Amino acid sequence: MTPSEFQALTGASDANMADLEAFAGMLAEANEVMNLVGPDTIPDIWNRHYWDSAQLLALEPGAKTWADLGAGAGFPGVVLAILLKDRPGAHVWLIDSLGKRCRFLQTVVDALGLPATVINGRAEEQKVSVEVVTARAVAAMEKLLGYAQPYLQRGARGLFLKGEKAEVEVAEARRVWHFESDLSVSRSDPRGRIVSVRSLRRAR
């Protein structure tokens, strides 16, 4: 995917695109000294990371507040914050338990002036209320739902980017949790799935 193809798909502004280009540079530089993403994925950043993240906005187009659990390299959270930058009231919480990843995220947020807050801590311990909680490549669904439980119980919708084993993960999670879910095919990779979750409670 080229930058122009990404812009056509998402409707990103020229300012958004400039921020995404700058983010790509910061990511490539930081990735030299810490393992944020697989080095072989950076050449395909517009599809593999940016479009994969941005597609979530089409599923919740009116949502302004998001929490990205295990935010890591900033996918999907930083991409969402860039694309929501000019929307009044928009804010993204980037939550990660590892200090060095949070320092990288804070550098990006500060450099680009993003509507985002970086939190260094355990996802399940935060008191943030949002419209959507998301995560990518954090944990299997059973464990991930434990991290997301407080947000979902405060009314958030879960949108989780998963791989080709998503159906198996959802089935295994139902041994521990009761929840409503839908799966949709990822637009960045037909092998991937987006798992939408509501109404979570622990199974008795």
Side-chain angles (χ1 to χ4, degrees), residues 32-77:
E32 294 290 333
V33 294
M34 68 174 107
N35 184 29
L36 291 166
V37 296
D40 60 330
T41 69
I42 292 180
D44 190 29
I45 193 169
W46 289 95
N47 181 71
R48 181 75 175 268
H49 298 305
Y50 286 177
W51 177 223
D52 191 50
S53 301
Q55 65 178 318
L56 296 180
L57 290 174
L59 298 177
E60 278 286 354
K64 295 181 179 180
T65 54
W66 298 67
D68 182 13
L69 311 186
F75 306 117

Side-chain angles (χ1 to χ4, degrees), residues 6 18 25 41 64-65 74 88 100 118 142 153 190 195 201:
F6 175 90
T41 69
K64 295 181 179 180
T65 54
K100 66 179 182 180
V118 179
E142 179 181 323
Q153 290 184 337
V195 184
R201 62 183 175 85

Side-chain angles (χ1 to χ4, degrees), residues 153-168:
Q153 290 184 337
R154 288 192 289 267
R157 176 187 182 186
L159 290 178
F160 304 115
L161 292 157
K162 304 297 292 184
E164 56 192 339
K165 296 182 180 178
E167 289 89 347
V168 174

Side-chain angles (χ1 to χ4, degrees), residues 57-98:
L57 290 174
L59 298 177
E60 278 286 354
K64 295 181 179 180
T65 54
W66 298 67
D68 182 13
L69 311 186
F75 306 117
V78 168
V79 175
L80 297 174
I82 289 172
L83 296 175
L84 291 169
K85 189 174 179 179
D86 296 325
R87 183 179 297 184
H91 202 84
V92 180
W93 279 264
L94 306 168
I95 304 167
D96 202 282
S97 61
L98 194 62

